[in-house]
Amino acid sequence: MSTTRSSTTTSSSSTNNQTSSSSSSTSNPTSQHPPPSARRVVVPAPRSPTPPPPQPPSSTTVAPRSSSTRRSSRLSALLSLLVLLPLFIYLPWQTSKAHFALPKPKTELYDVRTGLPQLSEKAILEHARVLSEDIGFRTVGTREHALGDKYVHEQALRIQKECEDIIKKAPTRKLECEVFRQEGSGTHRFDIVGKPVFKVYENLSNIIIRISNGTPAGKAHALLLNAHVDSTVPSPGAADDALSVGILFEIARNLVHTPGWEPAHSIVFLFNNAEESLQDGSHLFATQHPLANLVRAVINLEAAGNTGPEILFQATSEEMIQAYAQVPYPYATVLANDVFQSGIIMSDTDFRQFEEYRNLTGLDMAVVGDSYFYHTRKDVVKNIQPGVAQHFAENVMAIVKHLTSPLGATNVLSGLAREVTPPSSIYFSVVGKYFFL
């Protein structure tokens, strides 16, 4: 555009000059014209566009809110908070309540609607009452300890007799119940708080029940359930561990009396007589009983309290974590497993002996609520919260059926004889109903 503008200006100037020259020539013919080279054309420089003037600030202004408007806003916020506050309180309360909820205790041995056997908390606590109150302190080597051993042996023989009577009525049913009373002596090293303790025990006894389908194949692989009969010096041991003894007896009774139930793998119930003396009874079984060679996994039942749901605090393989996922009332977290195995908690269970001497995988489960009753004179049946025994028993029963029943269609136990998968899952339970892996 600048070139076009310059040319136009030049032409106009030339025309003007010629007109002026012509006029001058006419008026004054004698005047001299300047040479063409002396002509100078002035081209005006292009003008830069003028920036628009700055816009004045908007004349719109926000009027300050009145005090009544501010009070209204505060009132609305307060009303919203008051509406939501019950929700903020109710939801956590309900979640916590569901998380620690226990099932309703069952008192009858048989379901009144179906006629089938059911796990009875009343029957479990009766075993615990006899051991902890009728017999009392069952410290290893005492008269009460011997009476506890006698009571457990009699109950085992009673279950065997009931089993034999059932088989007579249903001779085609594949079911066999055996009772063993192990006696022996031994030595072992026990490390506690970083210090070695060398133990010697003599003439110790264990009571053992094996339930199987009676075939060599059915006896080739076994699931071990363990509870200890003895108690520590100042405690009658209702929860620790007479409660677990009662649970094992009730599970055995329930399985035997269930019509048509036949285990694909055998179940070994170990009532060991010396846990509080640094796990002598479990060591005796693990190192000297022939059935120990057939065990592929162990579930250890313990107590360090009297209330609340039992917690899974040790799980040593992926297979057993998957088995725990079958329980109706899960209460577990991988954090509990990590904390216990870190050694922070100065406690231990029979699980150590099975892991150390038999290299067994398994689950370690215990009641831990209100642990101030643990190892005290207040560890009696009346202080065991209603529902604790029911919760514990039904969870263990679900795992037992999953691992041993043909209906479960699992080959976990036989597979564990070949290979054990180390635990790698992060698991936790939510509101006592859902188990996540």
Side-chain angles (χ1 to χ4, degrees):
M1 293 178 66
S2 61
T3 302
T4 305
R5 184 183 299 170
S6 298
S7 299
T8 305
T9 307
T10 303
S11 300
S12 175
S13 301
S14 176
T15 304
N16 292 336
N17 289 335
Q18 290 177 1
T19 305
S20 177
S21 298
S22 176
S23 302
S24 300
S25 176
T26 305
S27 62
N28 189 9
T30 60
S31 63
Q32 298 294 323
H33 294 281
S37 60
R39 295 177 183 175
R40 187 169 58 181
V41 178
V42 178
V43 180
R47 297 170 62 185
S48 59
T50 302
Q55 296 293 328
S58 175
S59 60
T60 305
T61 58
V62 179
R65 291 190 300 175
S66 64
S67 58
S68 61
T69 304
R70 289 195 297 268
R71 283 196 300 269
S72 177
S73 298
R74 293 194 191 102
L75 182 60
S76 298
L78 181 60
L79 289 175
S80 299
L81 181 60
L82 290 176
V83 170
L84 293 175
L85 187 60
L87 189 63
F88 292 153
I89 296 174
Y90 179 77
L91 285 180
W93 175 67
Q94 281 295 327
T95 301
S96 177
K97 183 179 177 181
H99 189 65
F100 294 101
L102 296 171
K104 182 179 179 181
K106 297 176 182 177
T107 59
E108 302 298 327
L109 298 178
Y110 293 87
D111 190 315
V112 294
R113 294 171 299 174
T114 64
L116 296 175
Q118 63 182 5
L119 295 170
S120 168
E121 177 167 305
K122 182 178 179 181
I124 294 170
L125 294 181
E126 179 59 20
H127 289 296
R129 188 197 63 78
V130 172
L131 288 169
S132 63
E133 297 176 17
D134 291 355
I135 295 175
F137 308 113
R138 301 174 305 285
T139 307
V140 175
T142 64
R143 174 179 175 275
E144 289 76 13
H145 181 246
L147 292 175
D149 173 78
K150 179 183 178 183
Y151 173 80
V152 171
H153 193 202
E154 290 173 349
Q155 295 302 309
L157 293 174
R158 180 180 62 81
I159 289 177
Q160 183 185 35
K161 178 67 166 58
E162 293 175 2
C163 180
E164 292 171 350
D165 291 342
I166 290 172
I167 294 172
K168 289 179 181 179
K169 296 177 182 178
T172 59
R173 184 178 175 185
K174 294 181 179 179
L175 184 66
E176 183 181 37
C177 301
E178 304 166 88
V179 174
F180 307 87
R181 187 175 189 277
Q182 179 189 19
E183 294 185 8
S185 306
T187 62
H188 66 107
R189 170 176 168 165
F190 189 93
D191 294 329
I192 182 169
V193 197
K195 302 295 182 180
V197 176
F198 294 92
K199 285 299 306 298
V200 177
Y201 57 87
E202 294 183 356
N203 301 323
L204 197 62
S205 64
N206 291 321
I207 307 301
I208 304 157
I209 302 173
R210 177 169 68 175
I211 300 178
S212 69
N213 61 16
T215 68
K219 296 180 180 181
H221 307 289
L223 172 66
L224 176 65
L225 306 181
N226 176 73
H228 66 88
V229 181
D230 64 312
S231 67
T232 192
V233 175
S235 174
D240 180 26
D241 197 30
L243 175 68
S244 299
V245 171
I247 289 172
L248 295 197
F249 278 134
E250 185 62 3
I251 288 176
R253 181 199 67 82
N254 189 282
L255 293 174
V256 167
H257 285 268
T258 299
W261 179 81
E262 299 173 352
H265 303 293
S266 61
I267 309 166
V268 175
F269 299 81
L270 172 60
F271 303 88
N272 85 74
N273 266 315
E275 190 267 350
E276 302 293 357
S277 62
L278 302 185
Q279 304 161 15
D280 296 332
S282 53
H283 177 269
L284 174 63
F285 176 83
T287 58
Q288 298 185 37
H289 202 282
L291 291 184
N293 298 319
L294 306 176
V295 174
R296 308 301 175 218
V298 57
I299 302 175
N300 186 56
L301 283 66
E302 263 290 0
N306 296 57
T307 65
E310 106 286 331
I311 186 172
L312 172 66
F313 63 96
Q314 283 199 94
T316 58
S317 69
E318 281 295 308
E319 291 85 353
M320 295 306 289
I321 295 173
Q322 292 289 343
Y324 183 82
Q326 312 303 314
V327 303
Y329 310 111
Y331 191 78
T333 169
V334 69
L335 181 61
N337 185 87
D338 294 341
V339 169
F340 189 84
Q341 294 192 354
S342 70
I344 295 176
I345 299 176
M346 299 298 178
S347 184
D348 209 346
T349 71
D350 285 318
F351 196 86
R352 176 199 284 204
Q353 303 300 317
F354 305 124
E355 192 173 32
E356 184 171 340
Y357 290 96
R358 302 305 315 177
N359 196 29
L360 292 176
T361 181
L363 305 172
D364 211 353
M365 305 161 69
V367 179
V368 297
D370 287 354
S371 58
Y372 47 82
F373 289 136
Y374 175 57
H375 283 184
T376 70
R377 293 179 180 272
K378 293 186 178 295
D379 185 7
V380 292
V381 171
K382 70 177 183 180
N383 288 331
I384 298 177
Q385 183 184 4
V388 166
Q390 198 72 45
H391 185 280
F392 206 163
E394 293 195 15
N395 277 354
V396 175
M397 175 66 94
I399 301 170
V400 169
K401 287 185 175 180
H402 174 73
L403 292 175
T404 64
S405 297
L407 295 177
T410 64
N411 292 314
V412 177
L413 290 183
S414 56
L416 290 174
R418 300 184 297 271
E419 182 181 8
V420 175
T421 307
S424 59
S425 297
I426 296 175
Y427 57 87
F428 59 93
S429 59
V430 177
V431 297
K433 292 183 179 180
Y434 309 104
F435 186 68
F436 296 94
L437 284 170

